């Protein structure tokens, strides 16, 4: 999908464990103003069903496995976060639905802005109309 990028972070391994990091100007080109995370995720219970008009995000899954389907109004593509060193960097404007493939998965999000319900489109029909207006 254009403007959605999967990056595998370098793992620094020592003392029997691993460390990853991401930096402004390298993996991401926007400042993170908010961090949130979804945890205790139950297999098969989907969340999302919205798009963001302006918000840009980086997503990663430090525990478990999460599948995210992005939709640009014309096509859909699934992305799998199945390792703590994988991140997805997402530009604004994509409808998303996501679910855990493993019990108690955790999805973390770094976002380019503070919470603003006005930035959400939560109705798929409205999303399709909004996409048409953008083109
Ligand atoms: C996203 C996916 C991956 C707040 O009050 N502040 C916040 O910062 C957030 C993120 C949510 N909320 C409230 C809004 C709702 O009343 O928490 C409730 C659950 O949010 P929502 O239904 O939007 O949750 P998800 O899991 O469908 O979506 C969330 C994010 O909202 C969204 O930005 O991309 O995670």
């Amino acid at each position: 999908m254009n403007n959605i990028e999967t990056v595998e972070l370098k793992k620094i391994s020592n003392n029997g464990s691993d460390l990853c990091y991401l930096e402004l100007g390298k993996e991401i080109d926007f400042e993170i103003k908010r961090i949130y995370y979804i945890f205790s995720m139950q297999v098969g219970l989907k969340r999302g069903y919205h798009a963001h008009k302006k918000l840009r995000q980086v997503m990663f899954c430090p525990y478990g496995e999460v599948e995210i389907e992005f939709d640009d109004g014309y096509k859909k593509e699934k992305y799998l976060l199945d390792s703590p060193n994988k991140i997805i960097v997402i530009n604004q404007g994509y409808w998303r639905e996501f679910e855990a493939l493993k019990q108690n998965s955790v999805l973390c999000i770094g976002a380019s802005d503070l919470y603003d319900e006005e930035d959400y489109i939560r109705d798929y029909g409205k999303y399709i109309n909004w996409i048409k207006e953008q083109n």
Side-chain angles (χ1 to χ4, degrees):
M1 197 77 87
N2 283 343
N3 293 320
I4 300 182
E5 195 190 358
T6 306
V7 181
E8 291 217 2
L9 301 174
K10 185 177 75 174
K11 272 193 226 173
I12 301 176
S13 304
N14 55 21
N15 293 332
S17 44
D18 302 315
L19 179 153
C20 286
Y21 61 91
L22 54 123
E23 292 180 312
L24 179 64
K26 293 187 180 163
E27 292 80 13
I28 51 168
D29 63 356
F30 56 88
E31 276 190 46
I32 293 178
K33 292 196 181 155
R34 177 171 52 121
I35 291 172
Y36 48 98
Y37 41 97
I38 297 153
F39 54 102
S40 314
M41 290 179 76
Q42 304 299 299
V43 171
L45 287 182
K46 275 198 186 182
R47 299 179 65 112
Y49 302 99
H50 61 255
H52 284 289
K53 294 179 210 163
K54 291 193 183 145
L55 195 74
R56 301 176 68 193
Q57 297 164 302
V58 55
M59 294 185 185
F60 53 97
C61 173
Y63 182 81
E65 209 167 299
V66 175
E67 186 178 73
I68 305 148
E69 184 177 79
F70 289 105
D71 179 339
D72 65 4
Y74 299 93
K75 60 184 183 308
K76 299 175 187 201
E77 219 167 280
K78 286 183 176 169
Y79 288 72
L80 185 64
L81 285 173
D82 58 353
S83 166
N85 72 319
K86 247 194 217 177
I87 64 169
I88 308 176
V89 185
I90 308 122
N91 265 4
Q92 68 279 3
Y94 295 91
W95 184 267
R96 79 281 313 273
E97 296 172 18
F98 61 97
E99 64 183 312
L101 302 186
K102 285 192 180 155
Q103 201 71 1
N104 296 319
S105 292
V106 181
L107 180 64
C108 296
I109 296 105
S112 62
D113 220 329
L114 305 183
Y115 176 69
D116 176 11
E117 188 56 37
E118 290 297 307
D119 188 61
Y120 285 75
I121 307 172
R122 293 191 185 268
D123 176 280
Y124 191 71
K126 286 185 185 158
Y127 171 66
I128 296 299
N129 290 338
W130 180 81
I131 282 289
K132 285 182 191 152
E133 284 165 21
Q134 308 304 303
N135 297 328

